[in-house]
Each structure stands twice: as C-alpha cells, then as structure tokens.
Amino acid sequence: MGELFREYDMILALMAVGIAVRLVCPLLRDKWTDKPVVSVDASLRTAVPVIGGHHGANDLALYLYKQLGIYPAITTATDSSGRPSLEGIASAFGAGIVNRDASRHINASFLQQDVPIMRLRGPRIVIVDEDVAVLKSGGLIVGLGARRGATADEIMSAIRSAIAEAGRHVSEVRVIATSCIKTGDPEISRAAAELGASVVYLPDDALNAQRPVTPSRASILGLTGVAEPAVMALAQRMILPKRVYGRVTVALGE
C-alpha cells in the first residue's frame, strides 16, 4: 500500500473496509495530501470512500455507480445530505483553498444554510476569521441570463458561441453564475452537467452591487442585470461583455 500511495493519485481497494483501513492507517499524514481510497467488496455491490471523500473518493464511488451500478456508500455529511462543500466549490472554480482549516466551519454551515460567495478586488488587505474561506481561482466563469422556457440546448449553443467569440474552449468553463430567480432550473442544470461545471445562484443584492457595462432588460425584475453582474461578482476580470443569443444572454470572465 505504501508503494501505491507513492505511485498513484487514488486507490481502488478490492477488499473489505477493515482490511483497507489497517493497510492505510500507518500511511496517513494530512487529509489534504493523503491519497483518496475507495474500498469495494468482492461481490462488487458497494463502494465505500474510506478516506479523501471530498478529495476524489466520493467522485470515484459515484463513477463506479454510473459505470457498473455499484452502490456508492458516501458518508461525508454534505454529500450525503445533497449539500455543497467547500472542497467542491473550490474544485468548481478551479481554485486552491488558502486557509484550509476554514473547511470545518464552512462545511458545517453548508448543512444548515447557503454560504455566500463573493470576490474582493484589490489592492487591499483582508483579515478574515477562521470561519471564512479564502480561494485563489482560475478558469472561466459564465454569467448567464435565460428567459423563461429557454432549453438546455439553447443555453449550450449560446455558451459555445460566446466562448468561440472569446477565442477560448468550453473545457475551461468552471462555473455558470446566474440569478437566484433561476434556482433549480432543470435546463440550466442540464447544461452545467454537460459542461462539467457547477451553478452558482447569486442573490439580488450581489447582482445589484455591480455596475454592468451594458443596459439590461432585467431592470423590470429590479436587477441591474444578470449575465454581466454575475461575472463581475465572481470573476477577476470580464473577458467578454454580454452577448444575446435568442433567449439566452452570456457574459464571460476569469
């Protein structure tokens, strides 16, 4: 097992959880650097993330479920409750977590409520409490506005057109950001799943705190806009102001 830890990014152990635990325990150092381990029983019925649930083990268990129908016995509190996690948010943004100890507070809060995400622009000095997580991000953020009835295909077509216009690639998309009015919209969720991206639903005050560069019809909803303000709220810079593609509006930032 020690050799496997050195050579591979994650480990799928075809053995009882107890055996995997005994083999792995002497090798554990830090949850941020330990290799994810998933134990699968000999009858291929259950996949149990033993360590590294938020660092790849849960994803591996879900992959085994999708490919082979093996039940994913996920026990991390946020995932088993269908809630986000700090590690998942950081992954979605392609970001590194600067103060990792904040994960305990953030993930505990996610079990009870939505934790707001915001960007601070410098130059400035920021002093944060231990329950505030600091991320350094990368990748593309798609600001999205969609009229009622817009389909996942329309959304995908609009995003692809905007990304092509910016000279970038769809594989760079990390997050789709939109208004909380769209929370739970199945078409946006379908488009995000196709892109392998997460969706962040921003509250009205986060959008209205921004000053978009182009006017928006969202003013009838009491908003300064959706696509551009969503990018401005989360991205370091806008690389493509909003473009309108039929019933879908897209802006891009990073």
Side-chain angles (χ1 to χ4, degrees):
M1 187 64 76
E3 183 178 349
L4 295 177
F5 254 52
R6 289 189 296 272
E7 296 294 328
Y8 296 94
D9 295 326
M10 58 178 61
I11 297 167
L12 177 60
L14 188 62
M15 60 185 70
V17 172
I19 300 173
V21 168
R22 289 186 179 90
L23 290 173
V24 167
C25 275
L27 305 172
L28 300 182
R29 297 293 180 268
D30 182 296
K31 80 169 193 172
W32 300 96
T33 58
D34 291 335
K35 303 298 177 66
V37 177
V38 174
S39 181
V40 176
D41 64 290
S43 61
L44 303 182
R45 293 182 180 177
T46 306
V48 183
V50 179
I51 61 170
H54 284 156
H55 302 271
N58 288 349
D59 291 337
L60 177 56
L62 290 170
Y63 177 81
L64 293 172
Y65 171 70
K66 292 176 182 177
Q67 298 297 321
L68 301 174
I70 300 175
Y71 177 76
I74 293 173
T75 58
T76 44
T78 51
D79 298 83
S80 58
S81 302
R83 299 292 295 159
S85 67
L86 173 60
E87 293 86 348
I89 294 293
S91 176
F93 277 87
I97 303 172
V98 176
N99 52 338
R100 292 171 170 176
D101 287 345
S103 64
R104 298 192 302 272
H105 303 281
I106 298 296
N107 288 336
S109 295
F110 267 131
L111 294 175
Q112 306 296 329
Q113 61 188 327
D114 291 328
V115 178
I117 303 170
M118 61 188 67
R119 178 181 289 276
L120 297 178
R121 293 177 175 82
R124 67 179 63 194
I125 297 171
V126 179
I127 301 173
V128 299
D129 293 335
E130 62 181 4
D131 59 351
V132 177
V134 179
L135 307 182
K136 295 185 70 173
S137 63
L140 291 182
I141 295 173
V142 175
L144 180 72
R147 296 184 194 174
R148 181 177 298 178
T151 66
D153 289 341
E154 290 178 88
I155 293 169
M156 282 300 305
S157 176
I159 291 174
R160 287 195 179 101
S161 296
I163 288 176
E165 188 172 344
R168 306 296 286 267
H169 193 273
V170 291
S171 63
E172 299 179 72
V173 175
R174 297 291 187 182
V175 171
I176 294 177
T178 188
S179 166
C180 62
I181 296 171
K182 291 294 184 178
T183 299
D185 186 307
E187 301 302 312
I188 294 177
S189 297
R190 280 180 54 203
E194 186 171 340
L195 287 167
S198 295
V199 184
V200 174
Y201 300 98
L202 295 167
D204 292 355
D205 56 354
L207 296 175
N208 287 337
Q210 315 305 320
R211 293 293 176 264
V213 298
T214 50
S216 172
R217 294 182 56 189
S219 58
I220 62 176
L221 301 175
L223 299 174
T224 60
V226 176
E228 285 185 357
V231 167
M232 297 169 74
L234 297 179
Q236 185 173 358
R237 67 187 184 98
M238 186 178 299
I239 62 172
L240 184 73
K242 78 171 186 179
R243 299 288 190 268
V244 179
Y245 307 92
R247 294 190 288 182
V248 180
T249 304
V250 175
L252 299 177
E254 63 180 357

